Amino acid sequence: MKTKVAVFFGGRSTEHEISVISANQAMAAIDKEKYDVVPIYISKQGRWYTGPLLTDVKNYRDIPALLKQSTEVYMRPVYGDFNLYKANAGGLFSSKGPVATLDVAIPVLHGSNGEDGTFEGVLETIGLPFAGCNTLASANGMDKITMKMILASDGIPVVDYVWFTDKQWFTKRDKLIADIENRLGYPVVVKPANLGSSVGIGRADNRDELIDRVADAERYSTRLIVEKMVENLQEINCAVLGDADEYITSVLEEPIKSGEILSYTDKYMGGTKDNRGMHAAKKRIPADLPADETDRIRFLAGETFRVLGCHGVSRVDVMVDAKTRQIYVNEINTIPGSLSFYLWEAAGIKFDELMDRLVRLAFKRQRDLAAKTVSYDQNIFALGGGVKGGVKGAKS
């Protein structure tokens, strides 16, 4: 019997469409001789659907028509229940048998409500083996503020920054502006803390532009970060595959940007309006760098993956100051666009082998977790004397 691999994609995210593209690429690459693929599309309204038509990206040109020909499903939040159930009309739970019983999951959910640990927590609650970062690593990797704090504490170089919440910006704007100007100076880059794909990101060269950029960024996030801009910027990406204890790094790529900041169009449409995913973006592979810099970037990518406790496949984006050659880790993408398959193909690992490795990594982690104690069989309520203290709690 073939292993049933559920690929989750879409989601309530500004990167919804890119997730659909990445997932369709991944599903097409999975070896059908070894695995049965179960597509599970999450709509922008948060409803789950499955069906064979979901595996062809061309069908998403008319999503309402596509969903009418698909089956709405759900999973119960019960540990050990890996069944996919059909939902009744109106979204009510069905009492009928399962649509499918899943063996392993591969989340391909970019951005918020998917890559940030939210969905990973659902899978961990159910206990379904899955490839990719767990809840903690996903959350830390997604939030640019927390990520930089963790990396800096472990000696991994990051650019100087100031962070704050949207409420703090409203109540302490003058103080925050003074802090930014004194600590960083201009130019700076303003970002939502927990989004990817260059959404809400902008450069500010003076105070008025700073205020405008923050106003844009706070549309997307309650936590904001302002970074010192590396003006002589060379961006380099490196993928990492494995787990925090054993991993490999890919060849390096240098994305080609149309402006000062790599845009959403640069990343996913190759500078055009054609939706082809991250692999279509203009880039140099391998990046044209001296051997010592290549080794340093691969080392920092691996350390970022390790320190954050990552799993599966990630992509680490670094910034190089073209004048000083100083290298900074910019961010990690714990579910990278197109799963960075093009970087692994350049390293000699074909897309179908990448997917196979992800499945094996999921089962390996599940075996490792099964060896850990998570609860005790002993019931303290059944011990002699009972539990004292009532609702106020026992005293020690």
Side-chain angles (χ1 to χ4, degrees):
M1 184 177 294
K2 297 179 186 178
T3 300
K4 281 190 170 57
V5 180
V7 178
F8 289 86
F9 59 99
R12 296 174 55 248
S13 168
T14 56
E15 301 176 65
H16 179 98
E17 286 78 10
I18 307 308
S19 171
V20 172
I21 295 170
S22 293
N24 272 261
Q25 292 168 339
M27 290 186 289
I30 293 175
D31 185 352
K32 308 306 188 297
E33 295 296 318
K34 296 177 64 174
Y35 305 110
D36 283 331
V37 179
V38 181
I40 302 176
Y41 168 72
I42 302 176
S43 73
K44 291 183 178 181
Q45 293 72 40
R47 302 173 85 103
W48 295 16
Y49 297 87
T50 191
L53 295 179
L54 295 167
T55 62
D56 187 345
V57 72
K58 293 192 297 295
N59 293 330
Y60 291 83
R61 294 169 182 168
D62 186 347
I63 292 179
L66 172 61
L67 298 186
K68 285 181 180 179
Q69 299 177 76
S70 303
T71 302
E72 186 175 353
V73 293
Y74 69 95
M75 293 187 76
R76 299 194 307 156
V78 176
Y79 186 82
D81 186 350
F82 301 162
N83 292 318
L84 197 63
Y85 298 98
K86 182 178 180 180
N88 286 330
L92 298 177
F93 292 163
S94 171
S95 60
K96 297 180 180 179
V99 174
T101 299
L102 310 178
D103 295 310
V104 62
I106 300 180
V108 191
L109 292 155
H110 302 318
S112 54
N113 300 306
E115 193 175 352
D116 57 2
T118 305
F119 184 74
E120 289 75 9
V122 172
L123 297 179
E124 289 188 286
T125 297
I126 296 171
L128 180 64
F130 68 97
C133 292
N134 63 14
T135 302
L136 178 63
S138 298
N140 287 336
M142 187 71 182
D143 188 277
K144 295 176 175 64
I145 300 165
T146 305
M147 180 203 69
K148 290 180 186 296
M149 289 178 177
I150 295 172
L151 297 184
S153 70
D154 220 70
I156 297 173
V158 298
V159 296
D160 291 337
Y161 65 93
V162 172
W163 76 272
F164 48 89
T165 67
D166 55 353
K167 299 296 188 299
Q168 288 174 319
W169 180 255
F170 180 75
T171 59
K172 304 176 182 178
R173 178 180 299 186
D174 291 342
K175 181 180 183 303
L176 287 169
I177 290 175
D179 194 19
I180 291 166
E181 293 177 340
N182 292 333
R183 287 178 56 183
L184 306 180
Y186 295 106
V188 294
V189 179
V190 182
K191 303 177 181 179
N194 57 354
L195 290 182
S197 299
S198 301
V199 175
I201 295 177
R203 168 177 173 155
D205 289 290
N206 53 58
R207 184 175 296 188
D208 289 340
E209 290 181 2
L210 172 65
I211 293 170
D212 288 343
R213 297 294 90 76
V214 172
D216 183 44
E218 68 178 353
R219 294 167 52 207
Y220 301 99
S221 177
T222 60
R223 286 160 56 87
L224 309 167
I225 185 169
V226 179
E227 301 174 351
K228 177 66 179 176
M229 184 168 189
V230 179
E231 291 192 79
N232 307 293
L233 176 62
Q234 184 178 16
E235 296 184 69
I236 305 293
N237 301 336
C238 179
V240 188
L241 174 64
D243 57 40
D245 295 310
E246 186 177 357
Y247 54 83
I248 57 174
T249 55
S250 72
V251 300
L252 306 185
E253 67 165 329
E254 180 178 2
I256 307 300
K257 55 185 182 292
S258 58
E260 291 179 308
I261 297 174
L262 196 66
S263 70
Y264 185 96
T265 301
D266 290 331
K267 284 185 176 182
Y268 299 114
M269 302 177 190
T272 73
K273 295 182 179 180
D274 181 21
N275 297 320
R276 292 178 291 160
M278 186 71 179
H279 79 291
K282 297 178 181 178
K283 58 181 76 70
R284 295 188 186 95
I285 301 177
D288 185 14
L289 294 170
D292 60 335
E293 289 189 4
T294 296
D295 292 343
R296 174 67 174 164
I297 291 171
R298 293 180 70 180
F299 169 77
L300 289 175
E303 279 292 280
T304 299
F305 190 87
R306 181 189 67 82
V307 167
L308 294 174
C310 294
H311 180 275
V313 63
S314 295
R315 192 189 74 241
V316 178
D317 301 346
V318 307
M319 301 184 294
V320 182
D321 187 316
K323 284 189 176 181
T324 66
R325 306 312 297 175
Q326 175 66 42
I327 300 169
Y328 306 94
V329 171
N330 183 32
E331 64 180 8
I332 187 169
N333 299 271
T334 55
I335 306 179
S338 298
L339 298 183
S340 292
F341 78 85
Y342 50 92
L343 288 177
W344 294 112
E345 287 189 338
I349 299 174
K350 294 182 179 180
F351 204 171
D352 61 339
E353 182 182 350
L354 172 63
M355 300 308 297
D356 188 63
R357 290 194 185 201
L358 290 177
V359 171
R360 286 187 277 125
L361 280 166
F363 286 127
K364 176 180 179 292
R365 177 168 60 187
Q366 194 75 354
R367 290 192 300 270
D368 292 341
L369 290 174
K372 302 299 181 182
T373 300
V374 295
S375 65
Y376 294 106
D377 290 334
Q378 189 178 53
N379 181 0
I380 65 170
F381 302 107
L383 298 177
V387 179
K388 298 179 180 180
V391 295
K392 294 182 179 180
K395 296 181 179 180
S396 58

